Amino acid sequence: MGRNRTVNDASARESNRELSGAEAVSSASAERTDAEIMLAVAAGDEAGYTYLVGKYHRQIIHFLFRMVRNEAVAEELAQEVFLRVYRSRESYRAEAKFSTWLYRIATNLAVNHARDTKYERTAQTVNLDEPDSETGSTPEVADDDPNVEQRMLREERMAAIRAQVAALPERQRMAVLMHKYQEMDYRQIGEVLKLSESATKSLLFRAYQTLRESLKAYA
Amino acid sequence: MPESKKHESTKPGHTGTEGSTEMNCKDMNSKMADLLLDPEQGDGEGNSEAASHLAECNNCRTQLDELRATMALLDAWEVPEPNPYFLTRFNARLEEERQAVPASWFERMRARFAYGSRMSLRPVAAMAMTVTLLLGGGAYLGFTDWTQPPPPPAQAAVVNDLQTLDSNAQLLDQLESISDQND
Ligand SMILES: [Zn+2]
């Protein structure tokens, strides 16, 4: 189930951790952290920028996709995220992890997008029967396919997950997406959302409680 | 990441037949978040009371099991791989950005806001931008005699992001507390 991203994320987290504390100095000869690379970008290192975009674009697109549930919009917003990184490269300060900064920009763009398209979305109410927006349309399968029923069940479950996560209050939704799919720790989620670690946990807990109720039929 | 044990309720020595005084369901509520979100710590000695309560109390155990099942259920949501041309497209746009002189930055912004991309975002912003341009330049449609506007301050975008995020956060707090009250 797309678990290969875990490796990338874990190594990203690992390299970021080096930044904090005195060991950053001792590991100076080791690979540079993303924050260090970003500081070099600010000083004109274009290759560093290309590296960071290459490293993070997949996970940012995935995050935005689950936020906006539309492939084209997610990629458009992701482009905007990285353009903003570029435009503001000279004002980057390595106070937070590079990825935290990145997610704050992404989160904010997604929130604004949600606000801008609010009328469109409320007009079309959440419908569990809507065709799968991710695979394009409901796949056309022969009626005598023995897997049809199974596939339909799976798709119904997926649609329910998407709809119920989308129905969460905005910040709970962002927290769940970061926690569940971006595999960020509570501190980093809290930094993105400007919450303490414990507030982040209780936000997440409320979200999972809500989902437990709304997804009861599928768990 | 260390594999976490999931069955604290089976821990021996905590059968607690008369342990109902130790911890009730209400205390358990506050522990539940830790058990769900920090399962590695959930088995720690400090939580033996919670463990013995879970061993006794069907309600709480069911609740925790369902919460865990819900979290596991979310694994099913897979998303498509990004478009293989994403980086190509992005690099083209970045190149545009790098070569852009301030005047064309303005032009591009206007085009972007007014005509939008396929997203057709932000009608309000488009209007605001148009008004700004009208106030600021007057004959902006000409563009030829446009004297270069000052380049936007580099940090503005992100500073604005953060400020908006903050005010969004406050707004969301309020909305959430309202919806919580209605629960
Ligand atoms: Zn109980």
Side-chain angles (χ1 to χ4, degrees), chain A residues 9-53:
Chain A
D9 288 353
S11 67
R13 216 167 343 198
E14 201 48 53
S15 64
N16 274 319
R17 196 170 293 139
E18 288 167 16
L19 181 72
S20 58
E23 69 268 28
V25 180
S26 62
S27 68
S29 59
E31 230 175 275
R32 292 187 300 170
T33 66
D34 293 338
E36 286 166 342
I37 290 169
M38 192 59 215
L39 289 172
V41 171
D45 176 5
E46 302 271 315
Y49 177 71
T50 308
Y51 166 82
L52 290 172
V53 175

Side-chain angles (χ1 to χ4, degrees), chain B residues 41-111:
Chain B
Q41 287 172 12
D43 274 346
E45 280 308 300
N47 272 299
S48 56
E49 283 182 36
S52 62
H53 180 85
L54 280 174
E56 287 167 15
C57 178
N58 251 329
N59 263 351
C60 288
R61 204 173 48 244
T62 307
Q63 205 189 336
L64 185 60
D65 286 348
E66 285 181 2
L67 282 164
R68 284 177 174 158
T70 304
M71 268 179 72
L73 175 71
L74 296 183
D75 280 335
W77 187 3
E78 292 176 37
V79 294
E81 279 305 299
N83 188 306
Y85 297 109
F86 175 83
L87 286 178
T88 311
R89 282 191 207 142
F90 177 72
N91 287 332
R93 201 157 142 197
L94 180 67
E95 201 46 46
E96 218 179 288
E97 174 100 6
R98 279 170 175 157
Q99 308 206 328
V101 290
S104 81
W105 174 85
F106 222 67
E107 191 174 341
R108 213 155 32 78
M109 285 302 276
R110 198 198 157 271

Side-chain angles (χ1 to χ4, degrees), chain A residues 1 3 46 49 53-54 57-58 61-62 65-66 69 71-73 75-80 82-84 86-88 91 101 104-105 107-109 111-113 115-117 134 157-158 161-162 165 169-172 174 176-177 179-181 186 192-194 201 203-206 208-209 211-212 215-216 218-219, chain B residues 1 29 32-34 36-39 41 59 62-64 66-67 69-87 89-91 93-94 97-98 105 108-109 112 117-123 153-158 160-162 164-166 168-169 171-173 176-177 179-180:
Chain A
M1 324 194 136
R3 278 274 151 212
E46 302 271 315
Y49 177 71
V53 175
H57 75 280
R58 272 183 79 242
I61 292 171
H62 283 170
F65 180 82
R66 287 191 173 95
R69 302 197 301 153
E71 225 172 324
V73 174
E75 294 195 3
E76 182 77 25
L77 288 174
Q79 289 205 357
E80 192 60 37
F82 289 109
L83 282 177
R84 288 194 185 194
Y86 185 76
R87 284 177 202 143
S88 49
S91 63
W101 190 51
R104 292 198 79 189
I105 297 172
T107 299
N108 195 45
L109 284 171
V111 168
N112 286 338
H113 173 261
R115 205 142 296 162
D116 292 342
T117 58
E134 295 177 11
R157 202 175 54 171
M158 286 272 286
I161 294 171
R162 287 197 298 265
V165 171
E170 209 156 52
R171 241 157 25 127
Q172 290 187 24
M174 295 189 283
V176 166
L177 296 184
H179 177 243
K180 189 65 210 174
Y181 303 106
Y186 304 115
V192 173
L193 297 178
K194 287 218 143 193
K201 277 190 196 176
L203 186 77
L204 272 167
F205 186 60
R206 270 184 287 155
Y208 286 123
Q209 276 180 314
L211 291 173
R212 169 187 160 231
L215 291 172
K216 220 164 195 168
Y218 302 93
Chain B
M1 204 164 272
N29 241 348
M32 200 69 89
D34 289 333
L36 181 73
L37 298 172
D38 279 323
Q41 287 172 12
N59 263 351
T62 307
Q63 205 189 336
L64 185 60
E66 285 181 2
L67 282 164
T70 304
M71 268 179 72
L73 175 71
L74 296 183
D75 280 335
W77 187 3
E78 292 176 37
V79 294
E81 279 305 299
N83 188 306
Y85 297 109
F86 175 83
L87 286 178
R89 282 191 207 142
F90 177 72
N91 287 332
R93 201 157 142 197
L94 180 67
E97 174 100 6
R98 279 170 175 157
W105 174 85
R108 213 155 32 78
M109 285 302 276
R112 209 167 146 60
S117 49
R118 60 210 146 113
M119 293 159 68
S120 69
L121 282 182
R122 308 193 172 137
Q155 74 276 24
V158 165
N160 285 340
D161 279 345
L162 301 187
T164 318
L165 191 64
D166 288 348
N168 284 344
L171 182 67
L172 291 166
D173 270 336
E176 248 163 52
S177 61
S179 68
D180 281 351

Side-chain angles (χ1 to χ4, degrees), chain B residues 23 48 107 131 146 158-159 167:
Chain B
M23 190 178 240
S48 56
E107 191 174 341
V131 170
W146 183 255
V158 165
V159 170
S167 55

